[in-house]
Amino acid sequence: MAEFNGDPSGEGRRIAVVVSRFNEEVTTRLLDGAMKCLLQHGVKLDDIDVAWVPGAWELPLAAAQMLASERYDALVAVGAVIRGETPHFDYVAGAAATGLAAVQREYGMPVGFGVITTNDDAQAEARSGGAHGNKGWEAALAALEMAGLLSGLDAIAGQFDEPRNGATD
Ligand code: INI
């Protein structure tokens, strides 16, 4: 049996961050959390690129463009979708989540999901450095852990000469 865990060390990692300006007070705090996490785990400031987009709707496109550059080991997406009086919230939050999940699969690269979706400002406050922690920090940590896991899985894959599904015996 083999068991794999991702090492969240950021040493030598290059990280992309995409952050949305909508609800900027909240997203700035989420970005702060993500940056602190990356730096505390050993990522160099020069190895972090931050791209700002207008709103959460735009996160997947910018994330795709950044990962297409093949410059990064992982990406962290940060945004805040706060419920209003119309169904707009559902479209923006849903598109951000499904879009970022699609980007993650398309590029085979970790995308930390630091987009909070809340019913009101108080819930957003609580999740951006308040009573419920900082979801930007958590997303950055998840992205680093997944980068470590993918490196470990890559290394073991290289130890097999033949793919199992190509075996003839
Ligand atoms: N964008 C957000 O990031 N959060 C929101 O809460 C939000 N609301 O509620 O409307 C929001 N809308 C803007 C959207 O992301 C796009 O930027 C806009 O529609 C232009 O494409």
Side-chain angles (χ1 to χ4, degrees):
M1 185 195 124
E3 190 172 340
F4 300 92
N5 279 293
D7 174 2
S9 166
E11 268 173 46
R13 298 276 186 221
R14 282 196 303 250
I15 306 295
V17 181
V18 194
V19 54
S20 47
R21 256 190 324 273
F22 207 100
N23 296 316
E24 191 168 0
E25 258 185 47
V26 177
T27 62
T28 299
R29 289 197 299 269
L30 294 169
L31 174 62
D32 280 354
M35 292 295 294
K36 282 194 181 110
C37 177
L38 295 173
L39 295 171
Q40 284 181 23
H41 284 81
V43 184
K44 291 202 188 81
L45 190 57
D46 279 351
D47 289 331
I48 304 172
D49 293 333
V50 179
W52 285 86
V53 297
W57 175 268
E58 283 80 20
L59 288 170
L61 179 60
Q65 178 86 354
M66 291 184 95
L67 290 184
S69 73
E70 297 186 355
R71 188 179 143 70
Y72 305 103
D73 298 297
L75 181 141
V76 187
V78 167
V81 193
I82 302 176
R83 190 179 290 282
E85 289 175 358
T86 71
H88 193 63
F89 165 97
D90 300 294
Y91 292 106
V92 173
T98 54
L100 289 167
V103 167
Q104 176 167 250
R105 283 196 304 274
E106 182 177 347
Y107 290 94
M109 299 293 292
V111 173
F113 188 65
V115 182
I116 57 169
T117 54
T118 67
N119 288 324
D120 54 42
D121 291 340
Q123 288 181 346
E125 171 103 31
R127 287 156 181 78
S128 55
H132 287 272
N134 187 311
K135 301 299 171 188
W137 168 289
E138 290 174 23
L141 185 60
L144 287 177
E145 180 181 334
M146 287 302 294
L149 179 65
L150 294 191
S151 295
L153 293 175
D154 261 0
I156 193 103
Q159 294 175 19
F160 297 101
D161 293 336
E162 298 290 337
R164 195 68 191 133
N165 58 11
T168 51
D169 52 357

